[in-house]
Amino acid sequence: MKYNPIVNEKIAKFEEFASLHPYQSEETIQGSLEVMYELERALCEISGMDYFTLQPAAGAHGEYAGLLIIAQYFKSKKEKRTKIIVPDSAHGTNPASAALAGFEIVSLKSDENGIISPANLKEVLTQDVACMMMTVPNTLGVFEKNIAEISKMIHENGSLLYYDGANLNAVMGIARPADIGFDVMHINLHKTFSTPHGGGGPGSGPVGVKSFLKDFLPMPLIIKENDEFKVSFNNKKQSIGKMKAFFGNFPVLLKACAYVKALGGVGLKEASTQAVLNANYVLSCLKDKVSIPAGNVCMHEFVLSSKGHLGEGIKTLDVAKRLLDYGYYAPTIYFPLIVEEAMMIEPTETESKQVLDEFIDVLSKIIDESKTNPEIVHNAPVNTFVSRLNEVEAARKPKLHW
Ligand SMILES: *Cc1c(COP(=O)(O)O)cnc(C)c1O
């Protein structure tokens, strides 16, 4: 989870924003429309895309919107394209969104380095492919070095390239998805541009497109005419319609706008470089204690495998639970699916070397404990308010009071 400046929370709570009614007329919400317009322009600048919609409420919702736009585009061209290619390292929301948008999913196997190879792509790239979804850097924290060739293959096939922007924290200010061949993308504001990630809170998944897809964006668009901000339904003929009531999760948009303006271009680039440096530091300190299937250099995150490195009967799940005992928020585990006993480490840009060293020490200690005192790891957490839950029952029949 990223550190999110408290000042952004304060801005989101400003009375002037928080007391607005969504049915107020345009003239009375000029400031809010300006914030959204400015945020759209900033996201265009960061991504290289030409237009953005801020409506989708999460990354998955953005994927769904983006794929509906792609479906509508091919419909307008009267081309029958029914398939979406999804790499096997993708987040589960990718195939889910593709299915919901009415497509058939074609799974693409990553190569031995955990990336997409043109040779594997060639085998599944048929004439009925509408689009390929890619996450860059991918969920293993590896930059997809064959993008230029992949983009060429996809576009020569008449298909489009979708960028899952959940990992934009590694490349903002450094590489722009539109410049490297992508046509449509979403950004998870709650992963990169303030707003705490996790806990099921409100998110936001703006979708960016290149100009040839503008007419398919959700309605309404926010436009600027003679220094006035307006809500426009001009694209209603071809638009995919509305993705969310009113304008999206407005407080999340406010926080993102504040974050971008506070850091500026130089600050955003610095955040990415620092996030990448931090992840590589942690990786280099842990690489002799665990396996790192994708190699010894990463982007803003890396995925380790604890298989063969823990005491008998101890799993990654137990290590994650034991981390809670030492006061750490448990990281993502068992994802991506292509890594056995996976644990994902994403230290983010704001953590100091001291904090990273403490985390490395704790993780190393737990690995040792799993051999010398496996019982304590297996029974973890023991220092928390509740100990290990039956997770299925906790999800299905939650006790919401005591
Ligand atoms: C988090 C994530 C998503 C889904 O985003 P939500 O905002 O949780 O819906 C999609 N792809 C990747 C790679 C992610 O990490």
Side-chain angles (χ1 to χ4, degrees):
M1 196 194 304
K2 272 177 79 131
Y3 165 73
N4 291 293
I6 197 77
V7 65
N8 294 352
E9 295 295 332
K10 288 188 176 160
I11 290 169
K13 284 183 193 152
F14 278 173
E15 182 65 19
E16 290 83 349
F17 291 124
S19 64
L20 293 178
H21 192 282
Y23 279 131
Q24 275 182 233
S25 62
E26 284 170 15
E27 312 84 73
T28 64
I29 54 165
Q30 283 293 303
S32 297
L33 292 177
E34 183 172 359
V35 166
M36 290 188 275
Y37 184 84
E38 289 273 316
L39 177 60
E40 281 182 12
R41 296 321 306 156
L43 296 180
C44 285
E45 170 113 24
I46 291 164
S47 65
M49 293 291 166
D50 298 312
Y51 294 95
F52 259 88
T53 171
L54 304 176
Q55 277 183 32
H61 201 200
E63 291 165 22
Y64 179 52
L67 295 172
L68 288 181
I69 289 169
I70 289 168
Q72 194 83 333
Y73 166 72
F74 284 115
K75 199 171 150 202
S76 79
K77 290 179 44 141
K78 301 199 168 46
E79 275 183 44
K80 196 167 155 54
R81 290 184 181 254
T82 52
K83 292 181 181 159
I84 303 274
I85 298 176
V86 181
D88 59 2
S89 60
H91 195 274
T93 51
N94 286 192
S97 302
L100 206 60
F103 290 102
E104 200 182 308
I105 291 108
V106 180
S107 180
L108 175 58
K109 215 170 144 31
S110 307
D111 72 6
E112 62 282 2
N113 301 314
I115 60 172
I116 295 159
S117 76
N120 287 357
L121 174 60
K122 199 163 171 223
E123 283 179 20
V124 293
L125 188 56
T126 49
Q127 206 48 50
D128 49 2
V129 168
C131 138
M132 163 149 153
M133 300 180 84
M134 282 178 84
T135 306
V136 187
N138 69 19
T139 58
L140 288 165
V142 180
F143 195 84
E144 294 279 355
K145 65 176 181 190
N146 302 315
I147 290 176
E149 195 175 345
I150 290 168
S151 164
K152 191 158 171 271
M153 288 169 73
I154 291 285
H155 291 113
E156 277 175 7
N157 194 54
S159 316
L160 299 183
L161 203 51
Y162 183 97
Y163 185 96
D164 178 330
N167 291 341
L168 200 71
N169 207 42
V171 293
M172 55 181 179
I174 299 166
R176 305 200 307 171
D179 298 343
I180 54 179
F182 290 89
D183 305 291
V184 187
M185 71 179 294
H186 78 262
I187 295 176
N188 306 54
L189 294 184
H190 49 288
K191 289 182 181 173
T192 309
F193 298 103
S194 207
T195 295
H197 170 218
S204 177
V207 170
V209 297
K210 285 196 169 152
S211 56
F212 71 97
L213 295 169
K214 181 192 179 195
D215 290 343
F216 309 108
L217 281 170
M219 293 182 294
L221 302 172
I222 296 164
I223 58 168
K224 186 176 179 184
E225 263 177 19
N226 310 324
D227 278 340
E228 245 183 83
F229 297 94
K230 294 192 170 154
V231 176
S232 160
F233 288 84
N234 280 347
N235 66 333
K236 71 170 173 258
K237 260 208 188 114
Q238 290 196 289
S239 166
I240 58 166
K242 223 163 170 3
M243 288 307 293
K244 183 147 185 357
F246 308 107
F247 301 102
N249 275 335
F250 185 60
V252 181
L253 305 180
L254 276 172
K255 285 184 260 187
C257 195
Y259 185 84
V260 170
K261 300 267 173 191
L263 267 70
V266 174
L268 291 175
K269 181 175 178 178
E270 203 179 312
S272 280
T273 27
Q274 194 65 41
V276 172
L277 179 64
N278 281 359
N280 278 286
Y281 177 69
V282 179
L283 188 160
S284 68
C285 294
L286 286 173
K287 70 177 194 298
D288 297 331
K289 304 191 171 81
V290 291
S291 312
I292 317 280
N296 285 344
V297 183
C298 65
M299 294 293 287
H300 70 309
E301 69 185 14
F302 67 94
V303 176
L304 62 83
S305 171
S306 69
K307 197 174 174 219
H309 298 277
L310 300 175
E312 208 180 318
I314 301 297
K315 306 286 230 180
T316 289
L317 173 74
D318 304 308
V319 176
K321 296 288 184 194
R322 186 68 177 145
L323 275 170
L324 298 175
D325 276 338
Y326 288 102
Y328 288 91
Y329 186 86
T332 297
I333 52 174
Y334 298 107
F335 176 79
L337 304 177
I338 53 177
V339 173
E340 277 185 87
E341 293 298 314
M343 177 176 279
M344 181 182 277
I345 311 283
E346 181 180 358
T348 78
E349 64 276 11
T350 43
E351 304 303 343
S352 64
K353 179 170 178 294
Q354 186 189 355
V355 169
L356 299 180
D357 284 336
E358 281 168 13
F359 175 76
I360 292 158
D361 282 350
V362 164
L363 203 56
S364 309
K365 196 166 161 196
I366 296 173
I367 294 168
D368 291 343
E369 278 179 348
S370 80
K371 296 164 193 157
T372 56
N373 191 0
E375 213 42 20
I376 196 156
V377 183
H378 193 64
N379 293 330
V382 292
N383 298 336
T384 50
F385 188 66
V386 286
S387 52
R388 203 176 288 210
L389 299 169
N390 176 332
E391 294 189 3
V392 176
E393 198 166 322
R396 297 233 166 111
K397 294 187 206 153
K399 274 193 204 151
L400 299 175
H401 57 87
W402 58 84

